[in-house]
Each structure stands twice: as C-alpha cells, then as structure tokens.
C-alpha cells in the first residue's frame, strides 16, 4: 500500500512453531507505516519485548487479540495520523 505523499505500509505476519518470548500467541509480526528510513507507526513483537507498538517516536505495550484485530488497529492508527475518518 502506497500513498500519494510517498508514505508506505508494509505488513508481515507469519506463524511460528512456539510463541515469541514475551508473547502468548503463535504469530510473529512486523507492521510498518512511514517513509523510507522514518517509521511513524510500527507494531511488532520483538523477542523479549512482546507485543508492542511505536507511534510517532513513543513505544507502548499492545494487547494482541487476533491477527484481524492487529491489522484493524494498525490501519486505524494510520487513518488517525493521516487525519482521515
């Protein structure tokens, strides 16, 4: 997904044989919104940190529910940041 202002969205979600350290589910994910070299929004579950998100330079815990919920929350954050309804 690309935007007219050259912002990009990249989403990768894959199944893992056992939960990533810090997460309680069998998925690994990395979701990115921003510009090359500049993340504005990111969701991931880095080993040892568990489920969390990055929004405009802040890092905070994220309550993972389902893959669909993850994508919906991520896209909602992008819409909010872009000032879209």
């Amino acid at each position: 997904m690309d935007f007219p202002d050259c912002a990009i969205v990249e989403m990768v979600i894959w199944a893992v044989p056992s939960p990533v350290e810090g997460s309680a589910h069998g998925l690994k994910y990395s979701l990115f919104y921003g510009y090359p070299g500049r993340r504005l929004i990111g969701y991931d579950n880095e080993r040892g940190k568990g489920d969390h998100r990055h929004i405009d330079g802040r890092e905070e815990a994220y309550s993972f529910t389902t893959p669909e919920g993850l994508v919906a929350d991520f896209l909602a954050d992008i819409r909010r940041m872009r000032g879209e309804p």
Side-chain angles (χ1 to χ4, degrees):
M1 179 183 307
D2 295 321
F3 294 92
D5 63 355
C6 297
I8 57 173
V9 170
E10 295 177 347
M11 294 187 277
V12 180
I13 303 171
W14 62 99
V16 291
S18 60
V20 174
E21 181 184 341
S23 295
H25 52 81
L27 297 174
K28 175 83 176 128
Y29 58 89
S30 176
L31 286 66
F32 172 92
Y33 166 74
Y35 302 92
R38 183 173 165 226
R39 175 180 59 198
L40 297 175
I41 299 173
Y43 282 56
D44 66 276
N45 60 337
E46 180 181 335
R47 186 169 304 284
K49 285 189 172 187
D51 302 298
H52 64 283
R53 65 183 179 176
H54 306 261
I55 300 201
D56 207 17
R58 296 182 331 270
E59 183 177 322
E60 56 191 46
Y62 173 72
S63 290
F64 179 92
T65 55
T66 64
E68 295 83 6
L70 170 71
V71 171
D73 291 344
F74 175 63
L75 295 176
D77 281 341
I78 292 171
R79 284 192 301 276
R80 273 191 292 280
M81 182 169 279
R82 295 184 64 81
E84 298 173 358

